[in-house]
């Protein structure tokens, strides 16, 4: 019997860091989940839905209330208009939306372009589809990361079926400018490829950076699946309510794969997210301002310790280079940190095709934590500078 193996480092390092964080009661700045709840009205709506008997399977595409709310929210923020019955699919988080898109629309002889470093599930889903992964690259230029357009063009070929676009970008925190998205769009047209656009951090951009969806560019609505999630937008990552929008033909392909994975997501949680999308825009805007403050707080902490940081334009992650502290192997360093000082972070190893010198010194920190938690992390991290 042949068993397809996934790259082991994509899961092992996360699991090890998490276990060590628990074991040593470390401040966990490695995992990207907030430590505060979403809007109170959303939580009340979930409880109300449970008590009112909404506890059985919803439709496979998602409850109508949420599909209509997704359409209204997306139209209000991007101008895109979708049919809630045929062009919206509710998923178990954005991760399932990504998996459904790849498994439902990519064949074993196809190639899928990813932008390295990338969210770790991208490589796994491409492998499960039996397709070939081709990597374009983000590169550091000065104090920030940007897309290497030469590597992007080199990654496309006549076998390219899809490109996985992620902006705001995890883990680097970069926000792709319109000009870069236009280059991706041009290659999609040239090679007749689709764009699978992971936009879960769409509302978390900072300073003067603007998120642009590739689906809004000329000719791209017809060939783009746009993915988002309540988890990052509404501080409810444990609910696992995501969605994908796009042309009916592509959505049908995603649904064909999704129905054999989870089939559907929690009914009362879907109804609660629908409520929040319709009534909590002000809360979402406030979250953006709050996370910018948290980013600035962690920037001060990490620079004070002596780490070299790249500018974070979006998401809730900071990219840090600990080489000024004498660290050259980020993976080993991250495995030592929980026991050594009681702080957890993750290296770039799970986010790359080739864990080479280009990435081996980089670490991702999450700042989606309460101010007092970040302060405690700072107190512990200062022990590095004192040694």
């Amino acid at each position: 019997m042949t068993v397809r193996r996934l790259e082991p480092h994509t899961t092992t390092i996360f699991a090890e860091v998490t276990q060590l964080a628990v074991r040593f009661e470390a401040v966990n700045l490695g995992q990207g989940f907030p430590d505060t709840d979403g809007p109170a009205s959303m939580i009340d709506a979930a409880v109300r839905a449970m008590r009112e008997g909404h506890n059985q399977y919803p439709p496979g595409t998602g409850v109508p209330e949420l599909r209509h709310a997704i359409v209204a929210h997306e139209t209000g923020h991007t101008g895109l208009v979708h049919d809630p019955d045929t062009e919206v699919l509710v998923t178990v988080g954005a991760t399932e939306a990504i998996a459904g898109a790849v498994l439902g629309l990519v064949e074993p002889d196809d190639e899928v372009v990813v932008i390295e470093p990338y969210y770790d599930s991208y490589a796994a889903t491409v492998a499960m589809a039996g397709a070939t992964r081709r990597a374009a690259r983000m590169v550091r230029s000065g104090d920030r990361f940007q897309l290497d357009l030469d590597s992007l063009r080199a990654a496309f070929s006549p076998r390219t079926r899809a490109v996985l676009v992620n902006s705001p970008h995890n883990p680097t925190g970069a926000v792709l400018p319109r000009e870069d998205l236009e280059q991706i769009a041009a290659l999609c047209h040239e090679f007749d490829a689709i764009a699978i656009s992971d936009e879960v951090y769409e509302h978390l951009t900072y300073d003067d950076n603007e998120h642009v969806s590739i689906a809004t560019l000329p000719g791209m609505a017809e060939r783009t699946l746009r993915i988002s999630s309540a988890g990052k937008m509404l501080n409810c990552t444990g609910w696992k309510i995501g969605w994908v929008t796009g042309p009916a033909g592509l959505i049908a392909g995603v649904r064909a794969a999704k129905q054999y994975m989870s089939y559907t997501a929690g009914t009362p949680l879907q109804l609660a997210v629908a409520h929040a999308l319709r009534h909590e825009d002000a809360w979402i805007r406030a979250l953006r301002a709050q996370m910018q403050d948290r980013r600035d707080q962690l920037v001060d902490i990490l620079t004070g310790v002596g780490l070299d940081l790249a500018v974070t334009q979006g998401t809730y992650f900071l990219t840090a280079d600990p080489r000024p502290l004498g660290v050259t192997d980020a993976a080993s360093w991250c495995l030592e940190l929980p026991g050594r000082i009681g702080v957890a972070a993750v290296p770039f190893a799970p986010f790359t095709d080739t864990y080479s010198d280009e990435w081996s010194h980089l670490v991702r920190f999450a700042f989606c934590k309460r101010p007092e938690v970040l302060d405690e992390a700072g107190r512990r991290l200062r022990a590095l500078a004192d040694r």
Side-chain angles (χ1 to χ4, degrees):
M1 181 175 66
T2 300
V3 177
R4 178 178 294 127
R5 288 191 173 274
L6 306 183
E7 291 86 339
H9 74 266
T10 62
T11 55
T12 302
I13 195 75
F14 276 126
E16 287 189 56
V17 168
T18 301
Q19 291 169 2
L20 290 168
V22 172
R23 176 183 173 188
F24 293 105
E25 298 182 348
V27 178
N28 193 345
L29 303 186
Q31 291 181 299
F33 57 81
D35 60 0
T36 56
D37 285 334
S41 74
M42 180 181 73
I43 295 171
D44 291 342
V47 174
R48 186 167 59 251
M50 292 178 197
R51 295 193 181 281
E52 291 176 354
H54 299 284
N55 299 301
Q56 308 308 322
Y57 289 132
T61 54
V63 298
E65 294 90 335
L66 179 53
R67 286 186 276 115
H68 282 266
I70 289 166
V71 168
H73 181 86
E74 189 164 304
T75 300
H77 287 275
T78 69
L80 296 166
V81 179
H82 292 290
D83 182 336
D85 294 323
T86 62
E87 298 183 328
V88 181
L89 178 65
V90 178
T91 59
V92 180
T95 301
E96 188 187 52
I98 294 161
V102 174
L103 294 173
L105 297 167
V106 173
E107 299 295 333
D109 289 337
D110 291 337
E111 293 179 351
V112 178
V113 175
V114 299
I115 299 172
E116 184 184 29
Y118 46 73
Y119 178 54
D120 57 313
S121 82
Y122 296 175
T125 54
V126 173
M128 285 189 285
T132 300
R133 186 171 72 251
R134 299 284 300 274
R137 297 164 57 252
M138 299 290 283
V139 293
R140 185 164 176 178
S141 177
D143 62 357
R144 65 197 63 218
F145 281 88
Q146 63 186 35
L147 179 59
D148 180 342
L149 296 177
D150 289 337
S151 73
L152 175 72
R153 169 160 281 281
F156 276 76
S157 81
R159 292 174 55 197
T160 301
R161 170 58 173 156
V163 54
L164 276 159
V165 182
N166 178 211
S167 181
H169 183 260
N170 174 15
T172 67
V175 175
L176 297 183
R178 179 181 296 271
E179 295 77 14
D180 288 0
L181 294 171
E182 288 171 345
Q183 292 293 317
I184 298 172
L187 289 165
C188 286
H189 286 293
E190 180 180 344
F191 291 95
D192 193 24
I194 62 172
I196 301 170
S197 187
D198 178 355
E199 303 179 27
V200 295
Y201 297 100
E202 59 181 302
H203 294 296
L204 294 176
T205 60
Y206 312 121
D207 306 318
D208 296 323
N209 293 288
E210 176 190 9
H211 169 64
V212 177
S213 174
I214 194 170
T216 64
L217 300 185
M220 287 304 293
E222 299 85 354
R223 60 174 68 239
T224 299
L225 288 166
R226 184 178 184 273
I227 293 168
S228 197
S229 167
K232 302 305 191 293
M233 189 185 300
L234 293 160
N235 276 18
C236 57
T237 59
W239 288 18
K240 295 299 289 181
I241 302 295
W243 54 85
V244 53
T245 61
L250 296 182
I251 292 293
V254 182
R255 184 182 178 188
K258 183 246 187 312
Q259 68 181 338
Y260 296 111
M261 291 189 283
S262 67
Y263 178 65
T264 191
T267 303
L269 304 182
Q270 289 192 41
L271 291 168
V273 170
H275 166 87
L277 290 180
R278 292 209 181 268
H279 300 289
E280 292 290 357
D281 248 11
W283 189 95
I284 294 170
R285 289 194 299 272
L287 178 66
R288 176 181 181 173
Q290 182 186 90
M291 287 299 169
Q292 181 165 316
D293 289 342
R294 303 288 188 274
R295 178 202 64 173
D296 295 344
Q297 182 182 359
L298 189 56
V299 164
D300 289 343
I301 289 169
L302 296 180
T303 54
V305 171
L307 278 67
D308 176 31
L309 303 182
V311 171
T312 289
Q313 300 168 309
T315 75
Y316 37 57
F317 301 115
L318 281 171
T319 299
D321 181 349
R323 284 181 297 182
L325 302 181
V327 175
T328 56
D329 183 348
S332 296
W333 190 64
C334 288
L335 291 172
E336 293 171 2
L337 276 182
R340 183 177 168 192
I341 62 167
V343 174
V346 295
F348 266 41
F351 309 116
T352 66
D353 275 0
T354 52
Y355 190 51
S356 62
D357 290 344
E358 186 176 5
W359 311 111
S360 61
H361 57 281
L362 296 177
V363 177
R364 190 191 75 175
F365 287 88
F367 52 84
C368 49
K369 310 297 177 182
R370 298 188 309 276
E372 61 270 25
V373 173
L374 295 177
D375 282 340
E376 175 59 21
R379 185 188 69 78
R380 299 181 184 193
L381 283 163
R382 277 190 286 276
L384 296 173
D386 294 339
R387 295 178 183 181

